[in-house]
Amino acid sequence: MRQSMGRIGSCYDNAAAESWLALFKAEIGTTVWETREAARADVFHYIEVEFNRSRLRRHPEYGYVTPLETRTLLRQNLAPAA
């Protein structure tokens, strides 16, 4: 692991990560798990199922889509023409 550090005096460097972590903490809450494996399973479920596949967000071009759908649509638009 490497420590993440932004530029001195710039509060915007880490804004996306901080915003996501705040959302994650609000959704997971103050859960205490019995084992590390249970914690990992819950975190994986939140990220892969609830966050990436279920949560709708407003995209300026595609409308309300999930992050996974956004990624798929962007890949289709960036595919090279043959």
Side-chain angles (χ1 to χ4, degrees):
M1 279 194 196
R2 287 188 352 208
Q3 182 177 0
S4 171
M5 296 180 68
R7 295 171 290 178
I8 295 173
S10 177
C11 61
Y12 301 107
D13 285 349
N14 238 358
E18 292 295 334
S19 175
W20 188 88
L21 284 172
L23 177 67
F24 176 71
K25 288 177 184 178
E27 293 291 324
I28 291 290
T30 57
T31 305
V32 177
W33 292 275
E34 292 291 322
T35 63
R36 183 178 295 253
E37 291 78 23
R40 291 178 83 123
D42 278 357
V43 169
F44 179 83
H45 180 267
Y46 173 76
I47 293 171
E48 285 301 321
V49 176
E50 294 179 31
F51 187 83
N52 284 339
R53 298 171 195 240
S54 301
R55 183 185 60 93
L56 295 177
R57 67 177 188 170
R58 174 107 172 85
H59 189 276
E61 186 175 338
Y62 305 124
Y64 286 95
V65 292
T66 66
L68 186 63
E69 291 169 334
T70 303
R71 188 175 305 134
T72 303
L73 290 167
L74 288 172
R75 282 188 185 146
Q76 288 174 358
N77 288 345
L78 295 176

